[in-house]
């Protein structure tokens, strides 16, 4: 029999769970296909938006057809559009500077959001909504400031750049450039000072009364209402307004400055353009949310601008994909943001969207020319990447009989399309995440269950065979009743174990059967040789008679060795065990070896005594006989046999070393298998390779272990036997 290894050699490879998890990744092709479809759908939505905008601009132009008085009125100054213009719209009533919003009417809804500082970066904890309107001889401005900490003016400080404030720079050919600073010690009327170029000290100690402003606290910061006479904002005047944020009430240093120049990248000041009131009144009834309407006369001069390109309602994308898991909304939003960043899409929830009032940055002059030439047209202006917003524009001529007296241009961003696209993507991603997590969990559970069943069957199969390859169980119960392929495998293993058990039993009984069958012929041959020697005395001295008797003796020795291993385990089970001092027994055994082999040297060393073990002393001696015989056979004559005893980690260790022939490569374990022999060619004894196998049986019966290795110097072999220690009290 071939002795099985104690541990099966492990090979590197993916487990079933890993393989199934890798296969489940293919499910990602489903959301990816949906994502590609949704992205392609964007172009169709934009085309629909462009068609709808064309109908809108046609309807607005129809209302303005054949009304030349709207373009001939000289009530307001007609200006040619310039980059960075600020458009002031008519107000429904005169504005009281009290911080309240009621008197602003619908104009407050068209406010523009500003959040970028002078360096072009997002301001920290500062957001401003701003709008400009006019009524009578005044231009009014409204500032709704979200500030985490409002710092008012300290009247004891001479410098004025030490508190939250409003700054206005006015420039005109008549008076040059003036800088005005608005500050307040408490809510109410703000003080206005004409400042130096560094915005640190006033040029005079007296406030300026040409302009007026009021500041009031709000839930998120403060509000400022500003009134400027229109004569200060003539067509050749330019203005720049800034909100200054100071958060440190002790150090009082400027934290951020947010400007309100529509053309942000330009350092130049802006012009305030006053819209035509009659056209503005008509357009208010036609105004669409999130759109900007331009009316130009036949010369391309702007008569009015209404509306702002602001971001739509954030609730548009708040779907209920995880409505019943509302507590996970924060984790879900973080995951969505990460996925959008991964696939290169803009997550509009986290984007800081600020639309300015700059006309020429988005207004396409080509479609204006076509409209003034009598041809309706539309256009799109997009950014450099797919994730940037697209401005959709449509223009239509305004007719007076057969003549064009003006044009209407309507602008609208694709935010609604983007939000709809994002809403669909979120639903697809959310549903896919649920399905993918469910499928992966199911696959993982299935793979774990499958792996557990296979592992259980493997362990049961390994337990059915001992380390010597003997069948100790003819059937395994694991998965034997299952109706799938693993159940078939289990039943096949049981059938194989049954047949191997029958064959193993036959092999184990073969030595006894062989000894019984061969004994009678051997006795006949032996008695015949004896009778022949008696009848012919001269034949007793014949060399042929000697060879025949020697052959018979060798056959008897072979049968003895075969039956000894077969009957040893049964004999050990029947013998009574006892606790004895192993080093003391070994010392007596070595003394016996010295008398038995007076021509050989035995060196015995013990490092600790006593060392008790539980076992059969006679079988231990039988094991030592096999090892000593092996050492004597392979040792070089004249070299000692060394026996060393010591304790290590709860075991008593015996090393038997001899000098001589070393073990060939790969034979350190095989020599303990049955019928494996490295007997010398000059050995006088017949060797079948059963001696070291018997040593293994005796050692394992005593819960011990035996091993062989070449000496460190390469001059021989050392056999090591270990037995677990026991206490003398256990014997009592």
């Amino acid at each position: 029999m071939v002795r099985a290894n104690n541990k099966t050699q492990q090979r590197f490879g993916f487990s079933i769970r890993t393989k199934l998890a890798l296969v489940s990744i293919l499910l990602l092709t489903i959301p990816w296909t949906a994502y590609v479809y949704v992205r392609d759908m964007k172009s169709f939505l934009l085309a629909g938006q462009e068609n709808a905008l064309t109908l809108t601009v046609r309807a607005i132009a129809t209302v303005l057809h054949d009304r030349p008085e709207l373009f001939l009125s000289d009530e307001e100054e007609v200006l040619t559009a310039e980059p960075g213009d600020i458009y002031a719209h008519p107000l429904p009533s005169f504005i009281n500077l009290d911080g309240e919003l009621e008197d602003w009417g619908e104009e407050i809804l068209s406010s523009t959001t500003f959040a970028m500082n002078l360096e072009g970066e997002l301001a920290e904890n500062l957001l401003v909504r701003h709008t400009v309107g006019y009524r009578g001889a005044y231009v009014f401005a409204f500032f709704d400031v979200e500030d985490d900490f409002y710092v008012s003016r300290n009247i004891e400080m001479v410098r004025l750049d030490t508190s939250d404030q409003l700054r206005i720079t006015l420039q005109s050919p008549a008076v040059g450039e003036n800088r005005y600073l608005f500050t307040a010690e408490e809510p109410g009327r703000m003080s206005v000072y004409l400042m130096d170029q560094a915005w640190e000290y006033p040029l005079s100690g007296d406030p300026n009364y040409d302009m007026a402003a009021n500041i009031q606290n709000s839930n998120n910061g403060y509000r400022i209402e500003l009134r400027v006479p229109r004569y200060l904002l003539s067509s050749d005047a330019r203005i720049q307004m800034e909100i200054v944020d100071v958060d440190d009430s002790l150090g009082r240093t400027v934290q951020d400055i947010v400007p309100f120049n529509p053309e942000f990248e330009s350092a130049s000041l802006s012009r305030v353009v006053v819209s035509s009131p009659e056209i503005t009144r008509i357009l208010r009834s036609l105004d669409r949310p999130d759109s900007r309407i331009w009316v130009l006369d036949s010369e391309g001069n702007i008569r009015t601008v209404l509306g702002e390109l602001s971001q739509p309602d954030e609730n548009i994308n708040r779907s209920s994909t995880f409505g019943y898991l509302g507590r996970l909304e924060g984790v879900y939003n973080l995951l969505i943001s990460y996925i959008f960043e991964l696939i290169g899409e803009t997550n509009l929830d986290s984007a800081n969207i600020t639309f300015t009032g700059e006309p020429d940055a988005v207004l396409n002059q080509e479609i204006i020319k076509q409209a003034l030439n009598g041809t309706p047209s539309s256009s799109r202006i997009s950014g450099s990447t797919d994730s940037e917003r697209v401005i959709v524009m449509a223009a239509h001529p305004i007719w007076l009989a057969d003549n064009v007296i003006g044009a209407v241009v309507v602008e609208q961003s694709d935010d609604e399309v983007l939000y709809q696209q994002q809403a669909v993507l979120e639903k697809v991603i959310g549903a896919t995440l649920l399905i993918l997590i469910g499928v992966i969990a199911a696959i993982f559970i299935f793979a774990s269950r499958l792996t557990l069943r296979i592992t259980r069957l493997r362990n049961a199969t390994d337990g059915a065979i001992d380390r010597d390859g003997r069948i100790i169980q003819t059937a395994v119960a694991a998965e034997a009743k299952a109706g799938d392929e693993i159940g078939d495998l289990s039943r096949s293993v049981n059938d194989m174990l049954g047949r191997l058990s029958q064959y193993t039993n036959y092999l184990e009984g073969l030595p006894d059967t062989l000894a019984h069958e061969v004994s009678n012929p051997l006795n006949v041959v032996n008695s015949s040789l004896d009778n022949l020697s008696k009848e012919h005395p001269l034949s007793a001295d014949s060399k042929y008679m000697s060879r025949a008797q020697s052959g018979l003796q060798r056959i008897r020795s072979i049968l003895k060795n075969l039956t000894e291993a077969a009957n040893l385990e049964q004999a050990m089970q029947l013998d009574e065990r006892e606790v004895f001092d192993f080093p003391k027994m070994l010392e007596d055994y070595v003394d016996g070896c010295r008398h038995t082999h007076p021509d050989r040297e035995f060196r015995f060393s013990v490092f600790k005594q006593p060392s008790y073990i539980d076992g059969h002393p006679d079988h231990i001696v039988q094991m030592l006989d096999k090892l000593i015989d092996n050492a004597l056979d392979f040792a070089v004559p004249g070299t000692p046999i060394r026996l060393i005893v010591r304790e290590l980690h709860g075991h008593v260790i015996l090393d038997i070393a001899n000098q001589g022939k070393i073990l060939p490569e790969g034979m350190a374990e095989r020599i303990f298998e049955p019928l494996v022999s490295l007997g010398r060619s000059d050995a006088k004894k017949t060797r079948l390779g059963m001696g070291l196998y018997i040593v293994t049986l005796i050692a394992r019966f005593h819960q011990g272990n035996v091993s062989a290795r070449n000496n460190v110097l390469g001059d021989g072999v050392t056999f090591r036997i270990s037995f677990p220690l026991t206490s003398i009290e256990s014997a009592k």
Side-chain angles (χ1 to χ4, degrees):
M1 293 180 292
V2 178
R3 185 169 62 92
N5 292 333
N6 188 23
K7 293 184 179 180
T8 305
Q9 183 179 2
Q10 298 292 329
R11 294 185 179 181
F12 174 77
F14 293 112
S15 64
I16 294 178
R17 279 188 291 249
T18 303
K19 292 178 180 178
L20 289 178
L22 292 175
V23 171
S24 64
I25 295 179
L26 295 176
L27 294 173
L28 293 176
T29 57
I30 298 176
W32 179 255
T33 303
Y35 166 69
V36 173
Y37 171 76
V38 172
R39 289 198 62 177
D40 293 341
M41 185 179 65
K42 177 182 177 181
S43 60
F44 296 101
L45 293 175
L46 285 176
Q49 184 182 16
E50 188 172 346
N51 293 334
L53 209 60
T54 301
L55 296 176
T56 300
V57 73
R58 180 183 301 175
I60 296 174
T62 301
V63 175
L64 301 178
H65 284 339
D66 300 321
R67 302 188 66 175
E69 70 278 2
L70 299 177
F71 299 91
L72 299 177
S73 174
D74 55 359
E75 177 185 347
E76 307 298 338
E77 185 177 15
V78 179
L79 301 175
T80 303
E82 293 182 359
D85 282 347
I86 299 175
Y87 293 90
H89 305 291
L91 294 173
S93 61
F94 192 84
I95 302 298
N96 293 319
L97 302 183
D98 55 5
E100 300 297 331
L101 305 179
E102 289 78 5
D103 44 6
W104 284 85
E106 296 182 359
E107 185 61 31
I108 199 65
L109 301 177
S110 61
S111 60
T112 305
T113 301
F114 295 85
M116 308 300 290
N117 58 25
L118 293 175
E119 288 74 25
E121 300 176 352
L122 187 66
E124 184 178 355
N125 301 321
L126 186 64
L127 183 71
V128 184
R129 282 178 289 274
H130 168 60
T131 189
V132 178
Y134 74 94
R135 181 74 177 181
Y138 294 96
V139 173
F140 296 89
F142 175 78
F143 305 89
D144 186 6
V145 182
E146 290 187 10
D147 189 3
D148 58 339
F149 190 71
Y150 170 66
V151 177
S152 61
R153 178 190 175 188
N154 185 352
I155 196 172
E156 296 180 357
M157 302 184 71
V158 179
R159 288 183 54 168
L160 297 182
D161 59 342
T162 56
S163 63
D164 289 352
Q165 57 196 261
L166 170 65
R167 293 176 179 177
I168 293 180
T169 303
L170 280 176
Q171 185 183 70
S172 66
V175 298
E177 184 175 285
N178 290 325
R179 285 165 291 277
Y180 298 92
L181 185 145
F182 296 74
T183 184
E185 303 174 44
E186 58 185 13
R189 196 80 170 185
M190 301 183 74
S191 300
V192 186
Y193 295 94
L194 186 64
M195 300 295 294
D196 61 3
Q197 190 171 1
W199 295 97
E200 294 179 351
Y201 300 98
L203 297 180
S204 66
D206 299 326
N208 186 284
Y209 297 102
D210 292 335
M211 293 176 282
N214 182 282
I215 185 171
Q216 296 293 334
N217 294 327
S218 64
N219 294 332
N220 300 321
Y222 56 91
R223 294 171 180 168
I224 296 177
E225 288 181 308
L226 171 68
R227 184 181 67 206
V228 181
R230 287 182 61 178
Y231 69 84
L232 294 177
L233 300 173
S234 60
S235 60
D236 56 356
R238 300 295 183 268
I239 187 173
Q240 185 180 44
M241 296 176 285
E242 299 171 339
I243 288 291
V244 178
D245 183 30
V246 175
D247 285 339
D248 186 4
S249 60
L250 297 178
R252 292 184 174 264
T253 57
V254 175
Q255 179 76 21
D256 265 314
I257 299 177
V258 174
F260 302 100
N261 186 355
E263 188 178 3
F264 174 75
E265 296 181 356
S266 174
S268 62
L269 281 66
S270 301
R271 180 181 60 176
V272 176
V273 177
V274 178
S275 303
S276 173
E278 183 62 22
I279 298 179
T280 302
R281 184 186 62 80
I282 296 174
L283 293 183
R284 283 193 184 279
S285 61
L286 303 174
D287 186 22
R288 294 186 55 187
D290 313 317
S291 300
R292 183 159 54 188
I293 304 174
W294 305 71
V295 178
L296 303 94
D297 59 20
S298 59
E299 300 299 327
N301 299 317
I302 299 175
R303 302 307 300 244
T304 189
V305 180
L306 183 66
E308 292 291 341
L309 297 179
S310 58
Q311 56 182 333
D313 186 3
E314 294 182 355
N315 294 325
I316 188 172
N317 72 311
R318 295 301 179 189
S319 59
S320 58
T321 305
F322 291 97
Y324 57 94
L325 294 177
R327 297 180 181 178
L328 300 179
E329 182 178 357
V331 178
Y332 170 69
N333 289 334
L334 289 177
L335 183 59
I336 288 294
S337 299
Y338 173 75
I339 293 176
F340 270 61
E341 180 180 354
L342 190 65
I343 64 179
E345 289 290 335
T346 300
N347 186 3
L348 300 183
D349 286 342
S350 60
N352 294 295
I353 307 169
T354 303
F355 288 104
T356 70
E358 177 191 347
D360 287 354
V362 294
L363 194 58
N364 192 326
Q365 298 296 326
E366 184 62 30
I367 67 170
I368 295 177
K369 293 179 180 179
Q370 294 179 15
L372 293 178
N373 290 330
T375 304
S377 59
S378 60
S379 177
R380 302 178 195 171
I381 295 180
S382 60
S384 58
T385 63
D386 292 339
S387 63
E388 293 186 8
R389 286 155 183 74
V390 176
I391 302 299
V392 182
M393 291 172 288
H396 196 281
I398 301 174
W399 297 93
L400 176 61
D402 295 331
N403 299 318
V404 176
I405 61 173
V408 178
V409 180
V410 179
E411 297 176 284
Q412 192 175 49
S413 72
D414 68 338
D415 275 341
E416 185 176 357
V417 173
L418 289 178
Y419 270 90
Q420 290 176 356
Q421 182 189 33
Q422 178 176 324
V424 174
L425 281 177
E426 284 196 18
K427 289 182 180 179
V428 170
I429 293 173
T432 302
L433 284 176
L434 284 178
I435 295 174
L436 194 61
I437 292 174
V439 171
I440 291 178
I443 290 177
F444 183 80
I445 293 174
F446 171 75
S448 300
R449 172 64 177 167
L450 186 64
T451 304
L452 178 63
R453 294 177 61 193
I454 295 176
T455 302
R456 189 161 51 199
L457 178 58
R458 182 202 63 191
N459 295 338
T461 304
D462 289 343
I465 303 176
D466 64 8
R467 292 185 294 179
D468 297 320
R470 293 183 178 182
I471 305 297
I472 57 179
Q473 291 182 0
T474 58
V476 294
E479 306 299 329
K481 297 182 180 181
D484 54 9
E485 287 80 358
I486 297 181
D488 293 339
L489 178 61
S490 177
R491 290 185 286 273
S492 298
V493 170
N494 288 339
D495 182 62
M496 178 187 67
L497 290 175
R499 285 180 287 172
L500 286 176
S501 178
Q502 295 177 2
Y503 185 67
T504 302
N505 292 334
Y506 165 74
L507 293 179
E508 290 177 348
L510 183 61
D512 290 335
T513 303
L514 185 62
H516 176 74
E517 296 296 333
V518 176
S519 294
N520 291 332
L522 282 179
N523 292 331
V524 172
V525 173
N526 188 50
S527 60
S528 298
L529 291 177
D530 290 341
N531 293 330
L532 181 61
S533 298
K534 292 178 181 179
E535 292 180 1
H536 302 282
L538 295 178
S539 62
D541 298 330
S542 172
K543 63 179 181 179
Y544 300 107
M545 180 65 71
S546 299
R547 289 180 181 176
Q549 290 177 346
S550 177
L552 288 175
Q553 185 63 32
R554 294 182 65 183
I555 292 175
R556 287 193 180 96
S557 177
I558 291 173
L559 293 177
K560 179 182 177 182
N561 289 333
L562 289 175
T563 56
E564 181 181 18
N567 298 325
L568 178 62
E569 288 186 274
Q570 183 178 2
M572 287 190 295
Q573 294 290 345
L574 297 176
D575 292 342
E576 184 177 357
R577 301 168 68 99
E578 62 178 279
V579 176
F580 60 93
D581 185 3
F582 179 70
K584 181 65 173 63
M585 185 212 73
L586 193 60
E587 184 178 2
D588 296 339
Y589 176 80
V590 173
D591 289 340
C593 289
R594 292 190 178 110
H595 289 87
T596 306
H597 306 282
D599 56 333
R600 306 303 295 266
E601 180 183 359
F602 293 89
R603 298 180 181 177
F604 176 68
S605 302
V606 59
F607 290 92
K608 185 176 181 181
Q609 195 173 2
S611 298
Y612 294 98
I613 65 173
D614 183 14
H616 300 302
D618 293 339
H619 294 301
I620 297 294
V621 170
Q622 182 183 6
M623 178 192 70
L624 294 174
D625 287 340
K626 302 294 183 183
L627 292 173
I628 294 298
D629 288 345
N630 183 80
L632 292 173
D633 286 343
F634 288 93
V636 177
T639 59
I641 306 297
R642 295 183 177 85
L643 294 89
I644 303 174
V645 182
R646 64 181 183 275
E647 290 185 8
L648 182 65
H649 302 309
H651 287 72
V652 58
I653 307 296
L654 168 62
D655 287 338
I656 301 177
N658 66 273
Q659 294 177 314
K661 182 180 179 181
I662 64 175
L663 294 173
E665 185 177 358
M667 292 299 296
E669 291 187 1
R670 288 201 59 203
I671 58 174
F672 295 102
E673 297 175 358
L675 303 179
V676 175
S677 176
L678 297 177
R680 291 165 38 187
S681 58
D682 58 346
K684 297 180 180 180
K685 295 182 180 180
T686 300
R687 296 193 175 276
L688 296 178
M690 299 298 293
L692 294 180
Y693 175 65
I694 292 175
V695 171
T696 302
L697 293 179
I698 296 174
R700 289 180 179 170
F701 179 79
H702 291 82
Q703 291 80 45
N705 190 29
V706 61
S707 61
R709 69 177 188 278
N710 292 322
N711 295 339
V712 177
L713 299 178
D715 59 349
V717 178
T718 298
F719 284 84
R720 171 167 293 183
I721 307 96
S722 66
F723 298 107
L725 289 170
T726 188
S727 60
I728 189 65
E729 288 79 8
S730 61
K732 299 178 181 180

